[in-house]
């Protein structure tokens, strides 16, 4: 049984471009997926049948009491045609979690749903985004979304899934000073100008391509770019490359971009997280020290008080190997809530951690570390399903 769809969700500017190279006879990835409420899960959706879980995202209400997390999972231990998106909800600031639904295009068929992102827009509407395609080709993938207007208890009635644009969106939208909402969508790896900015000037009703960043073929991976609007009006894009984190700038609100150059941040080829805090400072969450390349371990948080010119010491969030893909949101009280995954095919943990900007600056460093480490909560894991 699928959920009742009642919320209006008209995207009159819906568009997509079918690239000349598209040769697949199976166009099923262009069809809307099935949405299954928890009570109507198929056997393959049951948590105890999962052999892969990872790539999470987090959104919350301003007071931090209502939280939602998405990630993707599957009954086989890998990123393949079995992948589907999971949505879970917490009503008590992350102390307990309950799955709500899964998004699955065609069950065990060839189409996969993956790389989800969840976002609370400025109007208080909740968005779930995901990618949908056959295989791993970003040029044929599409960014899909559904939305919900929330009631006082965090309940949601979800809109019909809609395809917004070409590509894959791995990171949160950014609200620009122009009022535009900017999606970082990527037609990764095989195409030039793959790291795109797709914007809406009407609060998500329509979307259009504004500009794109060209990643040199020798350095292309999955882009996973994120936008930061600098105080001087420039837009700063940070991107995943095969050497770590590259950067590009736009001085015309995203229409044109400078050539991609290595940033000052040493990093493995993996997603990071950057966001402007309520204080006006910038938060960066990455693997390892600022200038030392590590593997997917030692998630650390840094703050910049001068718009990215210099950065604080790092606050260690999780030192273990196999942790990756941080994402999060700051609550109105200043608490920063993050999620990330650990050991995607083993323990299959979706981990939540909370801290404050003051913890990074705290002279009582050991005590701050202890507070962070003891704040960890498990949203989903292998051990919770056995």
């Amino acid at each position: 049984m699928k959920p009742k769809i009642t919320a209006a969700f008209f995207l009159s500017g819906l568009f997509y471009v079918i690239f000349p190279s598209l040769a697949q006879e199976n166009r099923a990835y262009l069809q809307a997926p099935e949405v299954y409420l928890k009570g109507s899960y198929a056997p393959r959706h049951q948590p105890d049948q999962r052999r892969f879980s990872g790539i999470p995202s987090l959104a919350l209400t301003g007071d931090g009491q209502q939280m939602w997390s998405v990630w993707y999972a599957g009954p086989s231990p890998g990123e393949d045609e079995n992948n589907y998106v999971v949505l879970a909800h917490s009503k008590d600031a992350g102390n307990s979690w309950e799955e709500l639904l899964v998004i699955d295009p065609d069950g065990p068929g060839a189409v996969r749903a993956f790389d989800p992102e969840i976002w609370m827009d400025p109007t208080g509407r909740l968005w779930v985004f995901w990618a949908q395609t056959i295989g791993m080709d970003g040029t044929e993938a599409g960014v899909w979304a559904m939305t919900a207007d929330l009631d006082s208890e965090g309940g949601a009635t979800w809109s019909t899934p809609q395809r917004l644009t070409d590509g894959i969106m791995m990171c949160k939208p950014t609200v620009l000073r122009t009022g535009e909402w900017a999606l970082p969508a990527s037609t990764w790896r095989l195409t030039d100008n793959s790291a795109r900015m797709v914007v809406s000037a009407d609060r998500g009703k329509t979307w259009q391509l504004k500009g794109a960043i060209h990643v040199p073929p020798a350095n292309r991976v999955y882009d996973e770019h994120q936008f930061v609007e600098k105080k001087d009006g420039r837009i700063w894009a940070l991107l995943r490359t095969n050497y770590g984190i590259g950067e590009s700038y736009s001085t015309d609100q995203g229409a044109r971009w400078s050539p991609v150059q290595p940033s000052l941040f040493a990093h493995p080829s993996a997603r990071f997280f950057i966001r402007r805090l309520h204080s006006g400072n910038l938060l960066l969450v990455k693997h390892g020290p600022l200038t030392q390349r590590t593997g997917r371990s030692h998630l650390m948080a840094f703050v910049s008080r001068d718009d990215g010119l210099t950065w604080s010491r790092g606050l260690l969030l999780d030192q273990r190997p196999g942790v990756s893909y941080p994402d999060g949101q700051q609550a109105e009280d200043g608490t920063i809530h993050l999620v990330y995954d650990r050991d995607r095919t083993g323990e299959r943990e979706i981990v939540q951690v909370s801290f404050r900007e003051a913890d990074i600056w705290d002279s009582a460093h050991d005590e701050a570390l202890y507070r962070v480490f003891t704040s960890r909560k498990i949203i989903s894991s292998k051990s919770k399903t056995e």
Side-chain angles (χ1 to χ4, degrees):
M1 176 181 177
K2 292 189 292 183
K4 183 178 180 181
I5 304 295
T6 61
F9 191 77
F10 294 101
L11 294 169
S12 59
L14 179 65
F15 67 94
Y16 56 82
V17 176
I18 303 300
F19 286 82
S21 62
L22 179 59
Q24 294 178 351
E25 293 182 4
N26 186 350
R27 300 285 186 87
Y29 59 91
L30 298 175
Q31 303 300 314
E34 298 287 344
V35 180
Y36 299 85
L37 295 178
K38 183 181 179 183
S40 62
Y41 280 9
R44 65 191 306 276
H45 301 141
Q46 298 298 331
D48 63 358
Q49 296 300 306
R50 294 173 191 162
R51 298 297 177 265
F52 177 93
S53 289
I55 302 86
S57 178
L58 182 74
L60 47 98
T61 53
D63 62 6
Q65 290 302 301
Q66 304 282 344
M67 295 184 174
W68 294 263
S69 184
V70 290
W71 63 94
Y72 74 91
S76 53
E79 301 176 44
D80 57 28
E81 71 278 4
N82 291 310
N83 297 147
Y84 54 80
V85 171
V86 182
L87 171 67
H89 179 215
S90 173
K91 296 181 178 181
D92 55 9
N95 289 306
S96 62
W97 288 85
E98 180 182 5
E99 288 191 17
L100 298 181
L101 56 84
V102 299
I103 302 166
D104 192 351
D106 60 357
V111 184
R112 56 193 296 249
F114 62 108
D115 286 358
E117 187 70 39
I118 193 164
W119 180 56
M120 187 74 71
D121 77 23
T123 73
R125 176 173 290 178
L126 190 64
W127 292 70
V128 172
F129 303 88
W130 67 94
Q132 197 166 292
T133 193
I134 294 174
M136 295 288 287
D137 188 352
T139 63
E140 296 172 2
V143 178
W144 288 73
M146 60 185 193
T147 67
D149 294 306
L150 307 173
D151 62 33
S152 59
E153 299 298 319
T157 301
W158 292 94
S159 69
T160 304
Q162 299 283 348
R163 193 180 193 273
L164 306 186
T165 187
D166 295 320
I168 296 163
M169 192 185 84
M170 282 295 299
C171 304
K172 277 187 165 35
T174 299
V175 179
L176 304 177
R177 66 185 62 184
T178 60
E180 293 171 307
W181 298 356
L183 304 184
S186 170
T187 54
W188 64 30
R189 297 196 301 174
L190 301 181
T191 57
D192 292 344
N193 302 306
S194 57
R196 309 184 317 149
M197 176 185 279
V198 178
V199 302
S200 174
D202 52 14
R203 297 185 174 185
K205 293 179 182 178
T206 61
W207 300 89
Q208 63 182 353
L209 177 64
K210 188 163 189 179
I213 303 162
H214 177 68
V215 181
N219 303 131
R220 285 181 199 155
V221 193
Y222 301 105
D223 294 345
E224 296 174 3
H225 51 302
Q226 300 179 55
F227 301 122
V228 173
E229 193 163 23
K230 291 269 199 170
K231 293 178 181 179
D232 63 10
R234 293 179 300 161
I235 300 177
W236 183 29
L238 294 174
L239 312 89
R240 174 181 171 181
T241 68
N242 59 7
Y243 56 74
I245 300 176
E247 66 181 3
S248 176
Y249 288 90
S250 173
T251 59
D252 57 6
Q253 290 298 301
R256 293 171 297 180
W257 294 87
S258 66
V260 174
Q261 301 291 335
S263 72
L264 64 85
F265 309 120
H267 206 251
S269 183
R271 188 172 76 175
F272 50 92
F273 180 71
I274 188 166
R275 210 71 179 166
R276 195 170 294 280
L277 298 173
H278 299 332
S279 65
N281 298 333
L282 292 176
L283 169 73
L284 173 68
V285 180
K286 66 176 292 291
H287 293 283
L290 286 173
T291 58
Q292 180 177 344
R293 180 166 177 162
T294 67
R296 293 190 177 189
S297 66
H298 296 86
L299 273 179
M300 302 179 73
F302 303 84
V303 167
S304 173
R305 288 172 165 165
D306 54 13
D307 220 28
L309 295 177
T310 62
W311 293 84
S312 70
R313 70 182 179 193
L315 177 68
L316 185 62
L317 306 177
D318 199 320
Q319 80 288 356
R320 297 173 292 178
V323 293
S324 63
Y325 277 60
D327 181 82
Q329 183 181 330
Q330 187 177 27
E332 291 172 351
D333 70 356
T335 304
I336 300 161
H337 300 279
L338 290 180
V339 289
Y340 53 91
D341 59 42
R342 187 181 81 87
D343 195 12
R344 295 175 183 174
T345 59
E347 294 302 316
R348 304 192 294 275
E349 289 183 348
I350 306 298
V351 186
Q352 176 197 348
V353 67
S354 301
F355 61 98
R356 301 177 72 87
E357 184 178 348
D359 291 327
I360 297 175
W361 305 107
D362 198 335
S363 59
H365 189 250
D366 293 348
E367 287 82 353
L369 280 179
Y370 180 76
R371 286 194 299 272
V372 171
F373 283 14
T374 56
S375 79
R376 289 182 195 157
K377 303 179 180 70
I378 303 299
I379 298 174
S380 178
S381 68
K382 174 184 176 180
S383 61
K384 280 195 167 187
T385 64
E386 293 182 340

